């Protein structure tokens, strides 16, 4: 086709002013998806983009799984393709007929199907996650058993929702444990903002989701609001980050996996983190990294922690 368009160059940072569809690099580079057509991968990117609308509308099922609505006609319009091809691309992604990148749940009675956009990274991380969970407890124990410099501390630094600068706040309900936490540099969760307005909306929506998950209103009645806000902000930084990896216990972990953990955190996990902070007597050099590791580990180690506490009580104070 002859090109009759007159198209200019990009100058400076002009390209950063536009919104973009985000198509994960991994579905192009991982062997698991080699047989998926490029057009089906583009459709998957469109479906991923629709997720933010679902979160705004509260389209989340009873198991906290986000679903979307995306009709064949929308795919036809967005990709400028015929109906037959759009149907084929959906089938290529479908869990029954295709690669499993989407799961469709029919409602019947002429209603549109729920579409669950599946986690592409779970194929890659399945083995890594089981290994990570086996190591999580060991690392968690290591962190709180003298692995850091042992010294007395009086204050803790936790980021709050009041601004980008960190303010010194006490951790827990009292400072009797003398735990000082400092140095909050945390470059591993910097944002890459392609659309500032959209990212602000997404962050606000994720904040509402996280606060609902942890029963925020109840927690701030029993703990200092600044402390809970600090933990919420750490989780928000993760779920809104575009970085491919996060550093957890000095190891690179896929951000998708860390995000999935953050969205599984509930009030009991926050209580676990707060209890651990109060009982910690070791020096923490990077509070944000430390708290992130505790939040991440809490999902898999909370059962071990409370079983150990129960054994301690039943044994008269000896394990």
């Amino acid at each position: 086709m002859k090109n009759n368009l007159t198209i200019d160059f990009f100058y400076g940072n002009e390209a950063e002013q536009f919104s973009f569809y985000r198509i994960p690099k991994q579905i192009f580079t991982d062997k698991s998806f080699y047989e998926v057509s490029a057009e089906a991968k583009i459709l998957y990117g469109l479906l991923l983009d629709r997720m933010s609308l679902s979160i705004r509308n509260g389209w989340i099922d009873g198991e906290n799984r986000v679903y979307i609505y995306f009709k064949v006609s929308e795919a036809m319009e967005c990709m400028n393709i015929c109906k037959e091809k759009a149907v084929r691309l959906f089938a290529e992604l479908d869990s029954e007929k295709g690669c499993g990148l989407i799961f469709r749940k029919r409602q019947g009675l002429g209603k549109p199907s729920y579409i669950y956009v599946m986690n592409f990274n779970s194929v890659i991380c399945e083995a890594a996650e089981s290994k990570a969970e086996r190591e999580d407890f060991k690392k968690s124990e290591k962190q709180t058993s003298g692995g850091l410099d042992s010294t007395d501390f009086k204050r803790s630094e936790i980021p709050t929702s009041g601004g980008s600068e960190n303010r010194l706040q006490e951790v827990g309900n009292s400072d009797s444990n003398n735990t000082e936490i400092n140095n909050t540099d945390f470059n591993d969760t910097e944002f890459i903002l392609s659309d500032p307005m959209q990212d602000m909306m997404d962050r606000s929506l994720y904040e509402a989701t996280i606060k609902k998950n942890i029963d925020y209103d109840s927690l701030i009645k029993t703990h200092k609001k600044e402390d809970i806000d600090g933990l919420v902000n750490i989780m928000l930084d993760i779920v809104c980050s575009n970085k491919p990896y996060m550093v957890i216990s000095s190891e690179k972990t896929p951000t998708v996996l860390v995000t999935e953990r953050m969205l599984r955190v509930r009030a009991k996990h926050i209580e676990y983190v707060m209890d651990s902070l109060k009982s910690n007597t070791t020096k923490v050099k990077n509070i944000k990294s430390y708290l992130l590791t505790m939040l991440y580990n809490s999902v898999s180690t909370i059962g071990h922690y409370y079983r150990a506490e129960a054994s301690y009580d039943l044994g008269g104070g000896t394990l």
Side-chain angles (χ1 to χ4, degrees):
M1 181 179 74
K2 185 178 179 180
N3 185 357
N4 294 319
L5 300 177
T6 301
I7 302 178
D8 200 1
F9 298 95
F10 280 119
Y11 298 94
N13 63 351
E14 288 180 342
E16 297 180 4
Q17 65 184 298
F18 303 107
S19 298
F20 298 93
Y21 289 117
R22 297 173 183 175
I23 304 176
K25 182 178 178 180
Q26 280 178 248
I27 66 173
F28 286 95
T29 58
D30 188 76
K31 293 180 180 179
S32 303
F33 306 113
Y34 274 5
E35 295 185 2
V36 180
S37 70
E39 288 176 305
K41 291 173 181 177
I42 292 172
L43 176 58
Y44 180 74
L46 298 180
L47 301 179
L48 272 179
D49 183 71
R50 181 59 61 85
M51 296 276 279
S52 60
L53 175 63
S54 292
I55 295 172
R56 286 199 293 275
N57 290 333
W59 294 339
I60 301 174
D61 68 15
E63 297 182 44
N64 203 36
R65 301 176 302 188
V66 180
Y67 60 87
I68 69 171
Y69 295 108
F70 202 99
K71 298 178 181 179
V72 170
S73 58
E74 292 181 83
M76 293 167 59
E77 181 178 352
C78 291
M79 300 181 67
N80 192 28
I81 56 178
C82 66
K83 182 176 181 179
E84 181 181 353
K85 188 166 189 176
V87 170
R88 179 175 62 78
L89 293 179
F90 271 107
E92 192 174 346
L93 297 175
D94 193 71
S95 57
E96 293 183 6
K97 302 177 182 178
C99 64
L101 282 172
I102 65 172
F103 173 78
R104 289 185 283 186
K105 182 178 179 181
R106 290 174 173 77
Q107 297 189 78
L109 300 175
K111 296 181 180 179
S113 298
Y114 291 160
I115 298 178
Y116 292 89
V117 183
M118 308 303 284
N119 184 350
F120 66 91
N121 200 57
S122 60
V123 174
I124 301 156
C125 293
E126 185 176 5
E129 182 176 16
S130 60
K131 179 181 178 182
E133 289 188 348
R134 288 196 300 270
E135 296 298 326
D136 278 345
F137 180 64
K138 295 179 182 178
K139 292 173 184 174
S140 178
E141 290 294 299
K142 203 176 201 179
Q143 278 190 309
T144 56
S145 61
L148 301 172
D149 297 335
S150 296
T151 190
D152 292 332
F153 295 91
K154 298 179 181 178
R155 292 178 297 178
S156 170
E157 184 174 291
I158 292 184
T160 69
S161 58
S164 59
E165 295 184 1
N166 297 319
R167 296 177 293 169
L168 290 175
Q169 302 291 346
E170 295 174 351
V171 174
N173 293 324
S174 69
D175 59 359
S176 60
N177 61 324
N178 293 328
T179 301
E180 176 184 307
I181 306 178
N182 49 38
N183 185 8
T184 59
D185 292 336
F186 195 39
N187 296 328
D188 293 304
T189 56
E190 292 174 349
F191 291 175
I192 301 173
L193 302 179
S194 58
D195 185 340
M197 185 61 70
Q198 182 63 52
D199 284 323
M200 287 176 61
M201 292 175 63
D202 289 346
R203 187 175 176 88
S204 177
L205 292 166
Y206 274 119
E207 180 178 7
T209 298
I210 288 171
K211 286 184 174 181
K212 180 180 178 181
N213 286 347
I214 66 173
D215 196 6
Y216 175 85
D217 292 337
S218 295
L219 283 174
I220 61 175
K221 292 177 181 178
T222 55
H223 298 281
K224 290 186 176 181
K225 182 176 182 296
E226 303 96 306
D227 296 345
I228 303 304
D229 285 343
L231 296 177
V232 169
N233 284 338
I234 289 173
M235 292 188 282
L236 266 176
D237 285 352
I238 297 301
V239 300
C240 295
S241 175
N242 289 322
K243 281 187 168 290
Y245 294 97
M246 295 289 160
V247 177
I248 305 290
S249 299
S250 301
E251 290 189 2
K252 290 174 67 175
T253 305
T255 300
V256 173
L257 178 57
V258 184
T259 295
E260 190 269 340
R261 285 283 187 94
M262 293 301 106
L263 293 177
R264 286 166 56 191
V265 171
R266 299 294 183 266
K268 63 181 180 180
H269 301 112
I270 299 296
E271 294 284 3
Y272 162 62
V273 170
M274 299 303 291
D275 286 348
S276 298
L277 277 172
K278 286 189 289 185
S279 62
N280 180 48
T281 58
T282 58
K283 182 176 181 179
V284 178
K285 296 180 179 179
N286 188 328
I287 177 57
K288 208 167 184 182
S289 180
Y290 177 73
L291 291 175
L292 171 59
T293 299
M294 291 184 69
L295 287 165
Y296 179 83
N297 288 341
S298 68
V299 175
S300 60
T301 63
I302 189 171
H304 297 289
Y305 175 81
Y306 285 117
R307 280 195 293 272
E309 288 288 301
S311 298
Y312 181 85
D313 293 339
L314 292 173
T318 58
L319 287 175

